[in-house]
Each structure stands twice: as C-alpha cells, then as structure tokens.
C-alpha cells in the first residue's frame, strides 16, 4: 500500500467535515483533528510529488493572493500550493487594480472571485486590527454568494495578520516533526525574544493544542498577554502541554527547537531603539543554543532574519548604533538551523 493510500485512510478516521468550505482565519479555531488533517494532506502531497504523481485537485480556477505587506516565503509557498493543486495564482496588486481608483472592497472582492477557489490574504499593517480586512473581504463574498453574484464562495487562508500566522506555525510544527525522533508530547519549543508577537502567539497555541511544551523566553516588558497565556494553558490541560514564559536561562534546558523572529515586526520599525535595548539579552547565540544542553536542538525562524549586517536595514541601523541581529550567523548558518526547510 502506498504511503498516500495509508494517509488517505487515516484522513477518513478524522472528524473534519467542518473544514470543507470554511475559512482558515485563526490557528486557535482549529481542532486537533483538523490540524492533524492538514499535516496528513501535506504528507500525502509530498509523497505524490516525490513519486512524480499527479497532485492536481482542480482542472481550472484561480487562487488569489493579496499581500498588503511584504512577503517572500509565504508568497512563494502560496503560489506553489496553488500550482500543486491545479489552480493558477493571480496576485491582486491594489495599486494596479481599480482599488487605486476608489473601487470598494465589496466590489473588488466580487469582481475578482468568480473563478476563485481560494483567497490568501496578508494584512498586518495596522497593529491591533487583527483580521479585520480579511473579514471585510470575505463578508463581501458571503453576501455576493448569497445574492447570486457568485456561483461559488472561495475559501480564505490567513497568510498572516498582526496576531496570527497559521501557515507559518503549521509548517514549523511539520519541520519539528520531521527533525525529532520523539512524539510531539515529549518535545519542547522555546520562542526567544518578543514573546507577544504574532508568530509567538500562534506557536504558543499550536504547541498547547498538540501537547508540546512551550516556553516564551523574553523580557518581562514583552511578556505575552495574560488572557492569551491563560487560554493556552486551559488548552494544555487537555493535551498535557506546559505553557510557560520568563527571562530565566534555565528555561532553555532540554529544548528540541529554538525559535526567534525579528525584534520589530513589520509596521513597528519606530520601536527599534527600545527593542534592541530590551531584546539584546535574548539574542540567539551559540551560547544560547548550548544552554539547551541538546546537541540536536534545531533552530527555526519565520524569516526575514537579521543575522548579519548585509541587509540595508541591519546596516543602516548599525550606523545609528543599533545591532538589530536577533540571531548570530553562528546559529543561523549552523547544521542545527532548519530555516530553509520550513516553507
Ligand atoms: N513578526 C513578523 C513575522 C514575519 C513573517 C512580522 O509580523 O513582521
């Protein structure tokens, strides 16, 4: 029996009917069986591709991507995913579309979606807005479908907002699974740095959901919000996951994965001076990696990363007296680093 057939049989045992024709707004909306289904389908697609078998689910149709902020990895992953499934990717560039002439979100959403099966949106420009734009877009499509303008209603995939980054977190856990020989319930993931940013939050949740010991190692000034921690701890009660955070280096001990992110997320560039001061003690260095006492501990990063001064951003900040590297080359380029496998 091929691996894909085995995986398909496993899928049949999962309660995932609610996933069909529903959106992927939040990582924390998904049940553990739904997360399991995503991993299972990913494994099956990989198996098919490795054996040069057809992976296409669609004969025609569009996957529309709207990136209202920069992206490299997610942009290409979305394009590859559409292609793998048989959809053509079309990028909605707001500056080049009629949006620039004042067309409303409602009109645009309905106009572009008549052949679309999936819409991926990244919108994290306004801190505190969450998935507001994504929701406005999809509500317009819901209405369009209800009013008979659209024959079908495409599905949304959140390609990052200011509090969540589901596709990243799912790919991260897959990478952890591929690199550790242990069950997830015996794994420990430590997020180093700004422990209340979008990537830290979705990792905290997915770890809690899958029984992975989660640690946020960062300064108290950037500690995760109490209600988010409490929610994840509640989830952890069912799965056995420990969820903790703090400044103590002891927390690094026994980690299977160290994770970090840039210190000032997109849209927070004015906070660099303050962040450098707070986060320099939590930079991922060779010494931090050693403090895990696990030679097989992997290093993960959602990218982009500042690990040297070759980028214009890191170089210009250095001129101003700020070393914004959240990780050193010693770790980023080490064999422990799986940053390019994470896509
Ligand atoms: N926290 C980062 C993640 C980048 C993938 C940001 O929001 O800019």
């Amino acid at each position: 029996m091929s691996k894909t057939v085995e995986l398909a049989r496993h899928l049949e045992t999962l309660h995932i009917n609610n996933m069909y024709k529903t959106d992927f707004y939040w990582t924390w909306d998904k049940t553990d069986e739904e997360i399991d289904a995503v991993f299972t389908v990913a494994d099956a697609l990989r198996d098919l591709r490795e054996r040069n078998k057809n992976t296409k689910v669609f004969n025609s149709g569009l996957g529309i991507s709207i990136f209202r902020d920069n992206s490299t990895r997610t942009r290409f992953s979305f394009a590859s995913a559409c292609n793998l499934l048989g959809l053509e990717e079309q990028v909605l560039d707001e500056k080049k579309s009629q949006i620039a002439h004042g067309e409303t979100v409602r009109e645009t959403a309905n106009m572009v979606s008549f052949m679309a099966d999936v819409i991926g949106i990244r919108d994290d420009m306004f801190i505190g807005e969450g998935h507001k734009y994504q929701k406005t877009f999809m509500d317009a499509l819901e209405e369009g479908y209800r009013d008979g303008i659209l024959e079908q209603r495409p599905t949304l995939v959140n390609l990052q907002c200011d509090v969540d980054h589901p596709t990243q977190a799912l790919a991260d856990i897959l990478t952890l699974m591929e690199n550790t020989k242990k069950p997830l319930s015996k794994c420990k993931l430590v997020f180093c740095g700004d422990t209340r940013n979008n990537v830290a939050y979705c990792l905290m949740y997915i770890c809690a959901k899958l029984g992975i010991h989660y640690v946020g190692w960062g300064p108290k000034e950037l500690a995760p919000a109490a209600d988010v921690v409490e929610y994840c701890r509640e989830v952890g009660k069912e799965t056995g996951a420990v969820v903790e955070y703090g400044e103590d280096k002891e927390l690094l001990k026994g980690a299977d994965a160290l994770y970090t992110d840039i210190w000032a997320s997109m849209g927070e560039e004015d906070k660099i001076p303050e962040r450098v001061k707070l986060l320099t003690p939590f930079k991922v260095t060779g010494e931090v990696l050693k403090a895990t006492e696990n030679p097989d501990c992997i290093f993960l990063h959602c990218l982009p990363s500042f690990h040297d001064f070759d980028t214009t951003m890191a170089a210009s900040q250095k001129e101003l007296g700020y070393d914004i590297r959240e990780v050193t080359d010693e770790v980023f380029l080490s064999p422990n680093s799986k940053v390019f496998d994470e896509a």
Side-chain angles (χ1 to χ4, degrees), residues 66 68 121-126 130 133-134 160-162:
I66 306 174
R68 306 186 94 203
I121 303 181
R122 167 170 292 189
D123 179 53
D124 60 357
M125 301 301 280
F126 307 102
Y133 175 79
Q134 302 181 2
Q160 187 183 320
C161 63
D162 64 344

Side-chain angles (χ1 to χ4, degrees), residues 122 124 160 165 168 197-199 261-262 265-266 302-304:
R122 167 170 292 189
D124 60 357
Q160 187 183 320
H165 194 351
Q168 178 70 53
N197 84 4
N198 45 4
V199 174
D261 188 2
I262 46 175
S265 284
M266 292 183 267
C302 53
L303 302 181

Side-chain angles (χ1 to χ4, degrees), residues 166-324:
T167 56
Q168 178 70 53
L170 290 163
D172 294 334
I173 301 302
L174 262 183
T175 313
L176 178 67
M177 285 158 78
E178 280 158 16
N179 281 281
T180 49
K181 319 256 161 333
K182 306 185 222 175
L184 289 179
S185 58
K186 300 249 176 315
C187 290
K188 175 173 175 179
L189 181 146
V190 181
F191 183 95
C192 312
D194 178 4
T195 61
R196 28 105 284 166
N197 84 4
N198 45 4
V199 174
Y201 276 180
C202 60
L203 285 170
M204 189 187 331
Y205 172 75
I206 204 162
C207 284
K209 194 81 195 154
L210 299 175
I212 302 168
H213 181 167
Y214 174 88
V215 173
W217 183 59
K220 55 181 176 319
E221 292 84 348
L222 297 173
D227 57 336
V228 181
V229 175
E230 199 187 317
Y231 181 78
C232 291
R233 283 186 176 153
E234 274 306 307
V235 173
K237 273 187 194 158
E238 275 175 34
T239 63
V242 176
V243 176
E244 45 183 355
Y245 63 93
E247 302 186 337
D248 195 346
K249 243 181 165 175
E250 275 292 302
L251 289 167
L252 299 166
K253 213 187 264 176
D256 297 287
L258 288 187
Y259 201 114
T260 195
D261 188 2
I262 46 175
W263 288 345
S265 284
M266 292 183 267
E268 293 187 326
E269 288 75 10
D270 60 323
K271 298 206 160 47
I272 286 176
E274 171 197 328
R275 295 285 167 82
V276 168
K277 204 161 141 214
L278 288 173
L279 291 166
T280 298
F282 301 93
K283 189 192 291 280
V284 182
T285 60
E287 197 206 321
V288 167
L289 187 58
K290 238 189 232 141
T292 66
E293 296 179 12
N294 175 9
D296 298 323
C297 176
I298 59 170
F299 171 71
L300 300 173
H301 195 304
C302 53
L303 302 181
S305 164
F306 298 117
H307 52 95
D308 55 28
F309 295 107
D310 291 350
T311 57
T312 43
M313 180 72 157
S316 60
Q317 289 295 331
K318 190 178 176 208
E319 298 255 297
L320 298 171
Y322 302 116
D323 175 352
I324 62 167

Side-chain angles (χ1 to χ4, degrees), residues 21-37:
K21 291 202 172 164
T22 41
D23 300 311
F24 208 127
Y25 277 119
W26 303 117
T27 310
W28 40 84
D29 262 0
K30 300 296 161 197
T31 66
D32 41 0
E33 295 204 13
E34 289 170 344
I35 293 171
D36 185 351

